[in-house]
Amino acid sequence: VDAGGRLPPGTPNLLTLARQQGRATALVTTGEIGQPSNAAFLPPANAAATAPLDQLTGETMPDLLFGGGEGDFLPTAKGGARQDNLDILLQLGRQGVEIVRTEADLRKLGTFRTSKLLGLFGNGPLPLASRGGSEPREPSLPDMVRRAIQALQSNPGGYLLVVDADSAARAAAVNDGEQYLREAVVFDEAVNTALRYAGDKTLIIVTGYRGVGGLTLNASPLRTETGLAVLGTNAAGIPALTWATGPAVDAEPGNGQPVAYQGAVAVGFATDMVATGKGDGAEGLRGFLDSTAIFQLIRDKL
């Protein structure tokens, strides 16, 4: 996959292969649908190597797409980011795709689907998990997973659902340990939702896709600090939870005392990822494997 999320022309991805086997297909993300890690699951690039979103039609798109990135679907004249004046949402709507934009709209939908469904719940990535307050416009990751499974289960040929917990990676990238733990809890709830709604015979795989340097509890907390105190910063403004690879430290001239933590942690470097699963085929997730082994395991179960 290149930097624009494009596969070499003619290369089938997992959702394409699943569709060829008669399965319903879906992608759910807390990031932007069009970002490279997600666009790789959209229709493969054509000979002209245009962006995956440009190729979406009512025929080629997965049965269900939930996430952010509405701006990538709309021209600048309609509040989007597209410079080519192309309105993909208008095209999809004319081709029978149902489009929803809020959590309330999603709640109103029935679980039995006869048309394809596109849920765009933000102009960019979806907000990070809330610390409380008013009811959000955006559905939570567990809610999106539940609604996706309910919509896909009506297909007699089964389904393939890809879920991207992008929010956790974003929290790690800005070295926000407290927010990262909050996102990890939400992701755990999403996994439990999948286990509860998908059924015992469904293969469910959970894996990371990039390293963030290893979250650690450093030496910054005071001895008297316990519990939630370690999630914040001490009197000097130094976080107790940080990553082994960062962040950068700005030192005050003359005394070398850290006064601010800025910059992102190192992400995307080569490191081993944990992969686990439940259901038929999960026994293949053992020992050290090439990352392509997960693709092959899913492909062989389609």
Side-chain angles (χ1 to χ4, degrees):
V1 179
D2 66 15
R6 292 180 288 265
L7 290 163
T11 303
N13 55 40
L14 278 174
L15 292 190
T16 299
L17 294 173
R19 183 177 180 180
Q20 292 171 353
Q21 296 298 319
R23 294 185 182 271
T25 57
L27 170 66
V28 169
T29 178
T30 55
E32 297 173 280
I33 291 174
Q35 68 190 46
S37 58
N38 294 319
F41 292 99
L42 298 180
N46 58 24
T50 55
L53 283 185
D54 298 354
Q55 301 173 70
L56 280 186
T57 67
E59 176 64 26
T60 63
M61 75 167 273
D63 295 281
L64 183 148
L65 288 174
F66 286 167
E70 183 177 29
D72 295 331
F73 290 77
L74 295 172
T76 54
K78 295 185 177 181
R82 303 191 65 90
Q83 302 293 326
D84 55 10
N85 205 36
L86 182 64
D87 188 335
I88 299 178
L89 291 188
L90 181 62
Q91 295 179 6
L92 293 176
R94 287 174 174 172
Q95 294 165 5
V97 176
E98 189 169 1
I99 301 171
V100 295
R101 289 184 170 89
T102 68
E103 194 274 341
D105 291 338
L106 190 60
R107 279 203 307 262
K108 297 175 184 177
L109 295 176
T111 56
F112 183 80
R113 304 295 310 163
T114 57
S115 62
K116 293 189 177 183
L117 180 61
L118 173 60
L120 287 169
F121 306 109
N123 208 46
L126 301 190
L128 300 178
S130 173
R131 304 184 183 198
S134 59
E135 184 173 337
R137 167 182 181 258
E138 307 82 9
S140 68
L141 182 61
D143 285 341
M144 291 193 291
V145 169
R146 175 178 58 83
R147 293 309 300 255
I149 293 174
Q150 289 174 331
L152 297 169
Q153 282 181 331
S154 60
N155 182 53
Y159 61 90
L160 175 60
L161 167 64
V162 176
V163 179
D164 170 36
D166 177 76
S167 299
R170 280 187 280 135
V174 295
N175 202 53
D176 190 339
E178 180 179 355
Q179 187 64 47
Y180 175 79
L181 293 181
R182 187 174 287 107
E183 299 299 335
V185 170
V186 172
F187 178 65
D188 184 66
E189 293 172 354
V191 173
N192 284 332
T193 297
L195 291 170
R196 185 165 64 251
Y197 282 88
D200 294 336
K201 295 182 179 180
T202 301
L203 173 60
I204 298 176
I205 296 175
V206 179
T207 183
Y209 67 92
R210 63 177 177 176
V212 292
L215 183 64
T216 59
L217 179 65
N218 60 33
S220 296
L222 301 176
R223 292 183 179 180
T224 57
E225 291 177 342
T226 59
L228 293 178
V230 301
L231 296 179
T233 59
N234 63 16
I238 302 174
L241 286 170
T242 187
W243 278 261
T245 53
V249 178
D250 286 347
E252 186 176 332
N255 59 22
Q257 294 299 312
V259 295
Y261 278 71
Q262 298 178 351
V265 298
V267 296
F269 54 85
T271 185
D272 291 331
M273 294 290 102
V274 174
T276 185
K278 182 179 185 296
D280 181 28
E283 64 278 0
L285 297 171
R286 60 178 60 183
F288 288 90
L289 302 170
D290 291 336
S291 59
T292 53
I294 295 178
F295 170 89
Q296 294 167 355
L297 190 158
I298 297 174
R299 180 199 61 192
D300 294 345
K301 291 297 178 180
L302 292 177

